[in-house]
Amino acid sequence: MSRKKDLQLRELALQIRLALMDEIMHLGFGHLSGSLSIVDALAVLYGEKMRVRYQQPDWSERDYLVVSKGHAGPAVYATLALKGFFPRSWLHTLNMGGSNLPSHCDRTKTPGVDMTAGSLGQGICAACGIALGLKRSGSKQKVFCIVGDGELDEGSCWEAIMFAAAHQLNNFYLIIDENNKQLDGDTKDILKHLDLAVQMRDFGFNVKNLPDGNNATAISDSITEIENDNLHGNTKPNCLVLHTIKGKGYKALEEMKLNHHIQVKQEEAQAAYEHLAEELHAVQSELQQYRTEADEVKGVVAESEANSEEFCRSYLAGIQANMYETGVSAAEPEFSVVYDGTDHVPNKDNFLSVLRQMRQDDPKIMYLDADLINSSGAYKFWQEHPENVVECGICEANMIGVAAGLSLVGYKPYCHTFGPFASRRCYDHAFISVAYAGNSVRIFGSDEGVCAAYNGGTHMPFEDLALYRAVPHATVLDISDGVLFKQALLQIKDRKGLTYFRSTRKSFKRIYNDEAKFVIGKANILHTGKDVTLIACGLMVGEAYAAMQMLEKEGYSVGVIDMWTLKPLDVKAILHAASTSNAIMTVENHNVIGGLGDAVAACLAENSCAVRFKKYGVNDEFGQVGTQAWLQKAYKLTAEDIVAYVKKHFLG
């Protein structure tokens, strides 16, 4: 490396450190130490190695950076500001109300941030998804991801590490900031890590171990070596283990044991700032003798050339407009009820046929599973289109993160696993990496409620609808019929944001004609009645319809609504039923807490509807094992049980 390039990298690193110091000193507190430790890596990436355009932050040919240790956001912001992505004045808004610079990186708020992070162990999963998507599209773009050594306590990091190796993501560059500290103290005193360089080699990575991880020249040279390795046949993912100093450049912080989040001592910080400024002056003075030589590092963008406030607002508005769906289609459902108590085609067969249809129409669909491809019915699709299938292993959290990353680079991911794993196991990843980050991912939780049958109580989700209903702007569907299942899969392909839908893998009772059309956000009114209206979802729609037939034979007038779309909820259908029926009763294969019953109850209460009302479902119980038929009887989820309950509470 030339002397000028070495000096230019040092210059940029010092400029970033000074901007970072000023940013935190102005606020008075923050994650300064862990931000200072990664500055040299950021200088190399933005000064030399990454292809980015500050005037076009979403440039489709750019390289990506995901800072999984999202609390190092202040360092990222200092870098992006100096590189022109937004006005430098924004640095003095860090963590302020309404700021575009929150404590942890957020792609929906800051131009130049590629992926939201902060909930540790998530950014690395999304980075793997980005790398996979780019590789499968044939792109030569690189994906860099910075994780902290303390962050490696998180199990999802190792899920992602195994994934990167299994899928030979040689376009993935994992940078480990091994500064030996985390919030509660030294990493060796929290959960002792072994030699990370050795571990990463054992996990199948091409590893460069840097004893001085704050040496920008060494970082640059190591990335160059990796690039050469890739040119000569390396298929492994790459890892740089940077042995850094937490608080680098601020001596008092370097020596502080508990330095994760600090209150700034202004005089001490000012002295450190002035020392860094002197270092920068010395470097720039030496650079003068090389001023006639060509620049090898892309330096700071002049403030006058940085993106304006107006540009940034417009750019972010575009991202935010695509975070989730707003409104409901004006179209109306069109269907005939053909219920006769017989079973439909197994949904495993429906799933396979729709995947094939979607792949034919749209090569950007991507099906992800967590070691359940053979159970979902899609194994043949995997054999036919391996380029559109991602086997994630038994790593549900990583699967959702990978899907988020795939969404970022233009794919349309469908994730499948059993309901409890699609909800309880990976909920935070779905909440943050998908919904909060504004990515579009469809999650299929199969074997809902008693449909889990022989898999028993550990696999029986009676709470998944409640969990996903609580995610802002999520779409939540409970499928009742095979025709509806196929239509729903097709309708959500281009739907923005997080969609969670639950359905059995087995057969439903057939309800709708094959030509039926449905609308997300609009219920299907199967039958109208004056004595009571049963508002049901999922498995229980067939049972509610059978109960209606039994009651009508006895002379009662009973309505049935398939409220398959719990979010958005069809308020109009609920209010109309309340105005035309003497009573409303919800019926669900779910805990009565948090699901359909609570959604309808809230709707009725908020609209001051004086109507008799009952919730019917699983009464705050855990699951158990048995056949589905036995379980339906055990939880009183049969048509006969519904009839008895309706007679007792409404028709007596």
Side-chain angles (χ1 to χ4, degrees):
M1 180 180 289
S2 71
R3 179 59 178 167
K4 180 170 184 177
K5 183 177 179 181
D6 173 66
L7 288 169
Q8 286 187 312
L9 287 173
R10 288 171 58 194
E11 177 188 35
L12 182 56
L14 285 164
Q15 289 169 322
I16 295 171
R17 277 196 170 85
L18 286 165
L20 169 59
M21 289 283 292
D22 176 67
E23 179 184 13
I24 298 293
M25 288 166 66
H26 184 269
L27 180 64
F29 60 88
H31 295 102
L32 178 57
S33 305
S35 294
L36 285 166
S37 62
I38 67 166
V39 162
D40 307 283
L42 292 173
V44 172
L45 296 179
Y46 283 94
E48 178 194 6
K49 291 300 184 181
M50 285 177 57
R51 297 173 66 245
V52 295
R53 293 176 178 174
Y54 74 90
Q55 293 172 321
Q56 193 179 357
D58 57 353
W59 179 38
S60 62
E61 298 300 315
R62 73 189 185 279
D63 294 323
Y64 287 77
L65 171 64
V66 178
V67 180
S68 194
K69 52 172 283 181
H71 53 273
V76 178
Y77 303 148
T79 306
L80 293 176
L82 292 178
K83 297 299 290 186
F85 283 85
F86 51 80
R88 292 187 201 175
S89 60
W90 281 19
L91 292 178
H92 282 185
T93 71
L94 176 68
N95 275 0
M96 300 296 183
S99 174
N100 287 95
L101 306 184
S103 58
H104 297 76
C105 296
D106 188 334
R107 67 174 288 267
T108 71
K109 291 182 169 58
T110 314
V113 170
D114 288 321
M115 179 58 193
T116 301
S119 183
L120 294 176
Q122 292 200 28
I124 183 176
C125 303
C128 284
I130 297 169
L132 178 70
L134 293 174
K135 185 168 185 178
R136 289 204 177 178
S137 66
S139 171
K140 299 299 183 183
Q141 292 159 267
K142 303 183 186 74
V143 180
F144 296 89
C145 178
I146 301 177
V147 298
D149 51 355
E151 182 181 4
L152 292 175
D153 291 354
E154 289 281 2
S156 56
C157 289
W158 299 99
E159 291 183 9
I161 286 165
M162 288 190 291
F163 180 91
H167 290 272
Q168 297 185 324
L169 301 181
N170 63 343
N171 60 340
F172 180 57
Y173 293 67
L174 181 63
I175 299 173
I176 300 177
D177 177 21
E178 189 172 13
N179 58 44
N180 298 311
K181 290 183 182 293
Q182 54 195 100
L183 193 147
D184 280 344
D186 294 347
T187 53
K188 64 181 177 60
D189 297 326
I190 309 300
L191 288 178
K192 184 177 181 180
H193 293 154
L194 303 177
D195 187 318
L196 286 174
V198 173
Q199 280 186 284
M200 295 306 297
R201 287 193 185 97
D202 289 345
F203 270 85
F205 274 64
N206 176 30
V207 178
K208 306 299 178 184
N209 192 26
L210 282 71
D212 183 359
N214 292 120
N215 183 323
T217 297
I219 296 169
S220 173
D221 289 344
S222 293
I223 294 175
T224 299
E225 289 176 18
I226 290 171
E227 291 168 339
N228 289 331
D229 292 341
N230 285 349
L231 288 174
H232 292 86
N234 172 57
T235 59
K236 297 178 181 180
N238 307 289
C239 177
L240 288 83
V241 180
L242 307 184
H243 297 267
T244 64
I245 297 173
K246 196 165 186 175
K248 178 65 176 178
Y250 185 160
K251 194 65 174 176
L253 284 191
E254 294 179 19
E255 297 171 350
M256 186 185 298
K257 182 176 178 63
L258 299 176
N259 66 357
H260 181 78
H261 185 280
I262 67 156
Q263 296 291 324
V264 174
K265 298 178 181 179
Q266 291 293 344
E267 289 186 8
E268 178 184 272
Q270 183 62 35
Y273 183 94
E274 291 173 1
H275 179 73
L276 290 169
E278 290 173 3
E279 284 190 51
L280 176 61
H281 178 73
V283 168
Q284 290 176 331
S285 295
E286 186 176 350
L287 269 171
Q288 287 298 311
Q289 61 186 294
Y290 302 101
R291 61 183 179 277
T292 59
E293 297 180 12
D295 289 333
E296 298 182 62
V297 173
K298 299 181 290 291
V300 170
V301 172
E303 284 191 68
S304 60
E305 296 179 9
N307 291 331
S308 67
E309 181 97 14
E310 181 181 10
F311 172 90
C312 293
R313 298 296 178 200
S314 175
Y315 170 78
L316 293 171
I319 292 177
Q320 292 159 5
N322 285 291
M323 288 179 67
Y324 50 82
E325 293 290 337
T326 57
V328 175
S329 169
E332 294 294 333
E334 301 174 15
F335 59 86
S336 297
V337 178
V338 297
Y339 180 87
D340 63 4
T342 60
D343 288 344
H344 205 285
V345 175
N347 261 351
K348 292 173 68 170
D349 296 343
N350 288 328
F351 192 46
L352 175 60
S353 67
V354 174
L355 284 174
R356 284 169 166 165
Q357 179 185 343
M358 289 193 296
R359 171 59 180 81
Q360 184 174 351
D361 297 337
D362 190 344
K364 284 294 188 178
I365 71 145
M366 195 71 78
Y367 164 50
L368 297 84
D369 213 315
D371 196 35
L372 289 172
I373 297 175
N374 198 33
S375 297
S376 74
Y379 194 82
K380 289 182 180 178
F381 183 75
W382 190 16
Q383 293 175 312
E384 296 162 359
H385 297 288
E387 73 280 6
N388 292 93
V389 178
V390 184
E391 172 61 85
C392 297
I394 311 170
C395 300
E396 293 86 359
N398 182 59
M399 175 176 70
I400 302 302
V402 167
L406 286 166
S407 171
L408 275 169
V409 290
Y411 285 91
K412 300 171 184 178
Y414 286 74
C415 300
H416 166 261
T417 185
F418 292 155
F421 314 136
S423 54
R424 299 192 298 252
R425 177 64 66 86
C426 59
Y427 186 66
D428 192 43
H429 284 68
F431 192 105
I432 298 296
S433 292
V434 180
Y436 182 85
N439 292 308
S440 297
V441 174
R442 304 128 200 97
I443 302 174
F444 171 21
S446 66
D447 291 10
E448 76 286 17
V450 295
C451 296
Y454 288 126
N455 278 329
T458 59
H459 287 53
M460 199 164 290
F462 289 140
E463 67 295 306
D464 53 332
L465 296 177
L467 289 169
Y468 278 107
R469 278 186 62 233
V471 178
H473 310 294
T475 298
V476 184
L477 312 174
D478 195 0
I479 309 301
S480 58
D481 162 270
V483 175
L484 176 57
F485 177 79
K486 291 191 288 184
Q487 283 268 330
L489 283 171
L490 293 168
Q491 285 193 31
I492 64 178
K493 178 175 72 70
D494 296 308
R495 193 166 180 83
K496 293 180 286 191
L498 169 63
T499 298
Y500 177 76
F501 65 104
R502 65 186 328 230
S503 174
T504 182
R505 292 177 295 134
K506 300 184 280 289
S507 300
F508 283 115
K509 299 297 182 186
R510 185 180 180 90
I511 297 172
Y512 301 108
N513 60 312
D514 288 338
E515 297 75 29
K517 297 179 181 179
F518 309 101
V519 179
I520 293 173
K522 294 192 177 177
N524 301 330
I525 301 173
L526 309 187
H527 197 263
T528 58
K530 295 181 179 179
D531 293 322
V532 61
T533 294
L534 305 175
I535 302 179
C537 60
L539 171 71
M540 299 310 295
V541 175
E543 299 297 330
Y545 199 85
M548 176 273 294
Q549 292 178 323
M550 295 177 194
L551 288 165
E552 293 227 326
K553 285 179 181 178
E554 298 184 33
Y556 298 109
S557 176
V558 179
V560 179
I561 296 176
D562 179 357
M563 190 62 71
W564 66 284
T565 169
L566 278 80
K567 192 176 181 184
L569 189 70
D570 191 342
V571 173
K572 182 179 178 181
I574 295 169
L575 298 182
H576 182 265
S579 68
T580 56
S581 292
N582 295 329
I584 300 290
M585 178 171 136
T586 56
V587 188
E588 58 192 312
N589 173 26
H590 187 274
N591 197 327
V592 293
I593 298 172
L596 175 64
D598 277 359
V600 173
C603 174
L604 293 172
E606 289 169 0
N607 287 278
S608 303
C609 290
V611 64
R612 298 171 70 191
F613 174 77
K614 287 289 185 182
K615 297 187 296 184
Y616 192 83
V618 177
N619 288 302
D620 203 20
E621 297 181 59
F622 292 114
Q624 54 186 312
V625 74
T627 65
Q628 182 175 318
W630 184 88
L631 288 163
Q632 284 189 242
K633 291 178 180 178
Y635 290 101
K636 300 187 183 303
L637 298 178
T638 68
E640 292 77 11
D641 292 309
I642 295 170
V643 168
Y645 193 90
V646 169
K647 285 183 174 181
K648 177 180 178 181
H649 291 278
F650 300 120
L651 305 177

